[in-house]
Amino acid sequence: MSRQGGRGTESKKMNSELFTLTYGALVTQLCKDYENDEDVNKQLDKMGYNIGVRLIEDFLARSNVGRCHDFRETADVIAKIAFKMYLGITPSITNWSPGGDEFSLILENNPLVDFVELPDNHSTLIYSNLLCGVLRGALEMVQMAVDVKFVQDTLKGDSITEIRMKFIRRIEDNLPAGEE
Amino acid sequence: MDARFTRGKSPVLERALGRPRSELSLAAFALLFSELVQYCQRRVASVAELQARLARLGHHVGLRALDALVARERPGRRETKVLGVLLFVKGPLWRALFGREADKLEQANDDDRTFYVIEREPVVNTFVSVPRENSSLNCAAFAAGLLEAVLGAAGFPARVSAHWHKGTTLMIKFDEAVIARDKSL
């Protein structure tokens, strides 16, 4: 069965509520299935990684951006194009480290956490950890190993949500053994 | 409820229930939904169980979608008739959640408890292709669970299931009491 997604440069949009509620259902189910928050965080990260690995292809197909020459360009593309395309928000980039290999994404409003509150017994849960996995997975597919983590989270009482991204190294393509 | 919220009144409670502020791409939802289905698939042993899990997740979504939606679309009025609530589901509810109305709403010829909501291509199934061995799987079980929760919370308890028929059909079977009540209205 062929599917024409109507793909062009216009992407099909949808209401963020279904997405937010579905994500909430997913996190709730994970909390029920796993006993502790650490496991849920890990599982969210893994699922995010799987999503990121596929998302990058969709992104590159639709956005026509070329190869990024350095980490700063990558940061710009992530914040201004990717986030806008998928979540409809534009985070700001701040706090560059002196070496240029670490920066922070500041999200004023995170569609994943609309109308969400964390109860006391899940205070170590990183609710939006899926995002970290997505960023890590997507960048790994374009040969960048990064470390992504939440530094501030509105669900835990901070005023903004801050994600810290650190460039670790460029991933070299490994040829299969015997091929060189 | 065993969860406690002791952090005081959260700003979330003060927010107005206005239209959702952001629109996001269908691809984001599709990717999330696919991960969700894969996660459920890893933990179940049969198609029926998988559909049950999806329905449970849909249930979770439906319960929470109803309140906000009713407050926005039908302020000050409650649907008391079966036909009313079904038209609400086909129109405003589907439009708010999926961006378009359901294609058709039909009643079963022989049974006044059963109705069908028909969609040729449900939004949740947009990028889903089902392999041959699982051919009875319909991920619209998620939508079925959602609808069941919405109808239940609106005061019209029913069983909803998803079928491959004219595209995807959600079969709604209301409880006897609901129809009896409706006849007397």
Side-chain angles (χ1 to χ4, degrees), chain B residues 41 45-52 54 125 128-142 161-165 167-169:
Chain B
Q41 216 168 12
S46 71
V47 173
E49 253 187 85
L50 177 53
Q51 298 216 179
L54 288 177
N125 279 356
V128 173
S129 58
V130 182
R132 296 282 297 277
E133 37 315 346
N134 280 345
S135 52
S136 61
L137 168 66
N138 191 334
C139 294
F142 181 77
S161 50
H163 303 272
W164 291 111
H165 173 66
T168 294
T169 297

Side-chain angles (χ1 to χ4, degrees), chain B:
Chain B
M1 303 236 300
D2 55 348
R4 290 186 175 286
F5 297 83
T6 55
R7 225 172 285 129
K9 195 157 80 160
S10 119
V12 162
L13 294 174
E14 302 293 310
R15 266 179 60 186
L17 274 182
R19 301 256 148 221
R21 283 163 299 158
S22 51
E23 279 211 320
L24 31 95
S25 73
L26 179 61
F29 176 75
L31 285 163
L32 176 67
F33 188 68
S34 119
E35 258 322 293
L36 200 117
V37 172
Q38 284 180 55
Y39 172 74
C40 292
Q41 216 168 12
R42 286 198 282 269
R43 302 179 78 92
V44 301
S46 71
V47 173
E49 253 187 85
L50 177 53
Q51 298 216 179
R53 277 224 168 204
L54 288 177
R56 207 165 349 131
L57 289 167
H59 204 271
H60 187 281
V61 174
L63 280 181
R64 286 156 180 78
L66 180 66
D67 259 347
L69 195 64
V70 166
R72 280 190 218 127
E73 304 272 345
R74 295 266 191 281
R77 305 204 50 175
R78 259 179 67 172
E79 298 294 341
T80 47
K81 291 185 178 291
V82 165
L83 197 55
V85 83
L86 286 172
L87 288 171
F88 175 73
V89 159
K90 172 192 188 269
L93 178 77
W94 234 246
R95 214 176 325 128
L97 288 174
F98 301 124
R100 56 166 199 246
E101 295 199 359
D103 292 325
K104 278 192 267 206
L105 174 64
E106 287 177 0
Q107 181 170 17
N109 288 331
D110 44 356
D111 185 0
D112 58 1
R113 285 169 59 186
T114 306
F115 291 82
Y116 304 105
V117 174
I118 301 176
E119 266 197 299
R120 257 167 299 119
E121 286 242 14
V123 170
V124 297
N125 279 356
T126 322
F127 296 112
V128 173
S129 58
V130 182
R132 296 282 297 277
E133 37 315 346
N134 280 345
S135 52
S136 61
L137 168 66
N138 191 334
C139 294
F142 181 77
L146 200 156
L147 189 47
E148 195 171 314
V150 167
L151 290 173
F156 298 85
R159 298 238 74 88
V160 185
S161 50
H163 303 272
W164 291 111
H165 173 66
K166 297 193 204 172
T168 294
T169 297
L170 295 174
M171 181 169 96
I172 308 170
K173 206 169 168 62
F174 286 103
D175 286 358
E176 283 292 349
V178 173
I179 303 298
R181 182 184 74 200
D182 201 56
K183 286 204 160 62
S184 68
L185 275 179

Side-chain angles (χ1 to χ4, degrees), chain A residues 3 5 7 11-19 21-26 28-30 32-34 43 46-48 50-51 54-55 58 62 84-89 109 111 113-121 123 130 155-157, chain B residues 2-10 12-13 15-17 20-29 31-36 38-39 42-43 53 56-57 60-61 64-65 68 72 96-98 121 123-129 142 146:
Chain A
R3 294 196 179 277
R7 298 277 197 90
S11 63
K12 290 212 269 222
K13 294 281 191 190
M14 74 179 314
N15 176 336
S16 62
E17 274 194 353
L18 181 61
F19 182 80
L21 290 173
T22 306
Y23 186 66
L26 175 65
T28 310
Q29 186 66 42
L30 285 174
K32 275 202 220 109
D33 289 341
Y34 293 98
Q43 186 67 23
K46 218 167 13 138
M47 291 175 77
N50 293 338
I51 292 181
R54 297 165 63 194
L55 187 139
D58 182 74
R62 280 202 278 160
K84 185 99 185 96
M85 193 187 276
Y86 291 102
L87 292 176
I89 54 173
N109 60 308
V113 308
D114 275 344
F115 302 119
V116 173
E117 267 198 329
L118 277 187
D120 290 348
N121 56 336
S123 52
L130 195 92
L155 291 180
K156 305 216 171 108
Chain B
D2 55 348
R4 290 186 175 286
F5 297 83
T6 55
R7 225 172 285 129
K9 195 157 80 160
S10 119
V12 162
L13 294 174
R15 266 179 60 186
L17 274 182
R21 283 163 299 158
S22 51
E23 279 211 320
L24 31 95
S25 73
L26 179 61
F29 176 75
L31 285 163
L32 176 67
F33 188 68
S34 119
E35 258 322 293
L36 200 117
Q38 284 180 55
Y39 172 74
R42 286 198 282 269
R43 302 179 78 92
R53 277 224 168 204
R56 207 165 349 131
L57 289 167
H60 187 281
V61 174
R64 286 156 180 78
R72 280 190 218 127
L97 288 174
F98 301 124
E121 286 242 14
V123 170
V124 297
N125 279 356
T126 322
F127 296 112
V128 173
S129 58
F142 181 77
L146 200 156

Side-chain angles (χ1 to χ4, degrees), chain A residues 57-71:
Chain A
E57 289 184 22
D58 182 74
F59 175 69
L60 290 173
R62 280 202 278 160
S63 67
N64 286 329
V65 296
R67 194 171 267 291
C68 291
H69 296 106
D70 59 15
F71 203 47

